[in-house]
């Protein structure tokens, strides 16, 4: 039996890697991209370039979307809604949970099934089963397409609510982008002191590698709503963050990021939590006015 045809719409680095993986696995792949030239390499290896979004939808029941955001999906498919009936859209683009829920309703209005995906891999991780993607939407739709989707990455099905995969994805990116910028900030301070990124690599890697233990220690306390200052006190934390800010300023480096951290710590102190753990700041974050 021949393999299921797949359409991929959006050929940035991610969509390109996905379409390439489907071709490598023997699927008939149809692609469409606003900038058509990005399909050249894929066409050379056997993919078909659709002449319009409607033609791309008509070519395969399973349609993967890999776009900058959901607005791009409406920009592309808004004039091709007649071709949505009977399709299964798997949207692997980043956006908010609310946008994902609205997109699922929009797809249903036009007779299409819909899954949300949040890819936890870079383009080089596509095709590697050790990476994974969060999925949500109807379980039956996920199960029916799981085998093909697992050619891209492993899968982690989060539930029926189409917003859930987007939510889990954004929660990881909340940690990822802030951590990645903290790394760049530390490197800027290091460079200003004659220390290279390479010199820093083992140390910063060690700090990040210690984070799972750190999270593990505090997780049960946070879930219990308990923030005792037996291991760390917010009064210590605020002084420590202030030292980070001052070290950056002394080196002539932008201190916006640690200053934002300091501002949250200071709000915790102002709320009377000096003797509690820094984890009590979650209460300040939940109620920005408190
Ligand atoms: P890019 O932003 O490089 O590519 C996005 C695609 O969206 C391109 O095909 C682009 O078309 C298209 N596009 C954007 N706006 C419009 C529009 N208004 N109309 C038509 N087409 C549009 O993204 P990536 O490929 O890197 O990523 C795709 C998705 O995957 C994103 O949501 C990203 O957040 C997510 N992601 C990316 C990762 C990465 O490491 N790159 C990792 C995990 C997730 P054109 O080529 O014509 O510009």
């Amino acid at each position: 039996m021949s393999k299921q045809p797949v359409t991929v719409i959006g050929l940035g680095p991610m969509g390109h890697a996905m379409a390439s993986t489907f071709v490598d696995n023997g699927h008939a792949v149809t692609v469409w991209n606003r900038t058509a030239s990005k399909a050249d390499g894929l066409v050379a290896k056997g993919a078909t370039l659709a002449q319009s979004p409607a033609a791309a939808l008509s070519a395969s029941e399973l349609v993967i979307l890999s776009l900058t955001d959901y607005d791009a999906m409406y920009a592309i498919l808004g004039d091709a809604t007649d071709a949505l009936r009977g399709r299964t859209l798997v949207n692997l683009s980043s956006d908010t949970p609310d946008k994902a829920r609205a997109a699922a309703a929009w797809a249903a209005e036009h007779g299409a099934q819909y899954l949300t995906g949040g890819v936890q891999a870079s383009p080089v991780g596509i095709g590697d089963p050790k990476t994974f993607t969060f999925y949500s939407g109807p379980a039956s739709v996920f199960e029916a397409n799981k085998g093909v989707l697992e050619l891209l990455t492993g899968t982690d099905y989060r539930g029926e609510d189409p917003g859930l995969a987007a939510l889990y994805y954004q929660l990881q990116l909340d940690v990822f982008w802030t951590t990645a910028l903290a790394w760049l900030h530390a490197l800027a301070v290091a460079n200003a002191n004659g220390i290279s990124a390479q010199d820093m690599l083992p140390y910063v890697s060690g700090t990040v590698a210690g984070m799972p233990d750190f999270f593990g220690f505090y997780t049960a306390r946070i879930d219990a709503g308990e923030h005792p200052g037996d291991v760390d006190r917010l009064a210590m934390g605020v002084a420590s963050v202030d030292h980070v800010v001052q070290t950056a300023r002394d080196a002539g480096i932008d201190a916006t990021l640690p200053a934002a951290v300091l501002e949250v710590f200071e709000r915790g102190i102002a709320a009377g939590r000096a003797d509690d753990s820094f984890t009590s700041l979650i209460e300040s974050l939940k109620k920005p006015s408190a």
Side-chain angles (χ1 to χ4, degrees):
M1 202 174 83
S2 63
K3 291 189 176 174
Q4 180 184 5
V6 184
T7 287
V8 178
I9 295 179
L11 300 176
M14 285 300 256
H16 197 282
M18 291 171 183
S20 184
T21 300
F22 287 131
V23 172
D24 291 345
N25 281 279
H27 287 262
V29 178
T30 300
V31 295
W32 186 88
N33 195 56
R34 177 179 60 181
T35 309
S37 59
K38 290 190 187 170
D40 291 351
L42 292 164
V43 170
K45 67 185 277 186
T48 301
L49 175 63
Q51 294 308 305
S52 67
L57 290 174
S58 300
S60 323
E61 194 181 313
L62 178 61
V63 178
I64 308 288
L65 302 168
S66 178
L67 300 162
T68 307
D69 54 26
Y70 278 41
D71 286 349
M73 174 184 76
Y74 296 116
I76 294 167
L77 300 183
D79 291 333
T81 50
D82 287 351
L84 281 171
R85 186 157 300 281
R87 306 295 96 171
T88 297
L89 300 184
V90 180
N91 197 338
L92 302 181
S93 315
S94 169
D95 219 314
T96 66
D98 284 351
K99 290 262 184 94
R101 292 181 187 113
W106 175 82
E109 261 171 46
H110 296 290
Q113 298 185 305
Y114 183 90
L115 289 176
T116 310
V119 184
Q120 297 289 296
S122 73
V124 291
I126 299 301
D128 177 352
K130 292 193 296 298
T131 63
F132 76 98
T133 298
F134 293 119
Y135 287 98
S136 68
S140 58
V141 179
F142 173 70
E143 286 303 328
N145 293 284
K146 187 176 171 192
V148 181
L149 296 174
E150 284 187 342
L151 295 174
L152 301 179
T153 66
T155 58
D156 185 339
Y157 176 69
R158 296 281 83 211
E160 297 266 338
D161 170 1
L164 273 177
L167 176 61
Y168 274 88
Y169 175 78
Q170 299 307 343
L171 294 175
Q172 306 322 305
L173 286 185
D174 192 345
V175 176
F176 175 81
W177 284 124
T178 317
T179 305
L181 193 60
W183 170 61
L184 285 183
H185 184 265
L187 292 186
V189 178
N191 284 176
N193 286 280
I195 300 167
S196 70
Q198 190 61 47
D199 293 334
M200 279 285 286
L201 184 59
Y203 300 107
V204 79
S205 299
T207 299
V208 173
M211 293 311 265
D213 284 345
F214 181 80
F215 296 155
F217 177 80
Y218 287 109
T219 286
R221 292 177 172 207
I222 291 170
D223 276 347
E226 291 166 2
H227 307 288
D230 56 343
V231 174
D232 75 287
R233 290 170 62 247
L234 192 57
M236 175 279 291
V238 76
S240 170
V241 178
D242 188 49
H243 302 156
V244 174
V245 171
Q246 291 308 326
T247 301
R249 289 194 175 134
D250 289 350
I253 297 303
D254 184 314
T256 307
L257 186 61
V261 176
L262 183 60
E263 193 265 334
V264 177
F265 275 63
E266 284 171 341
R267 273 199 282 137
I269 297 288
R273 302 195 180 106
D275 290 329
D276 295 339
S277 166
F278 94 102
T279 59
S280 66
L281 293 176
I282 197 168
E283 305 304 336
S284 306
L285 295 171
K286 285 177 179 172
K287 284 191 202 140
S289 57

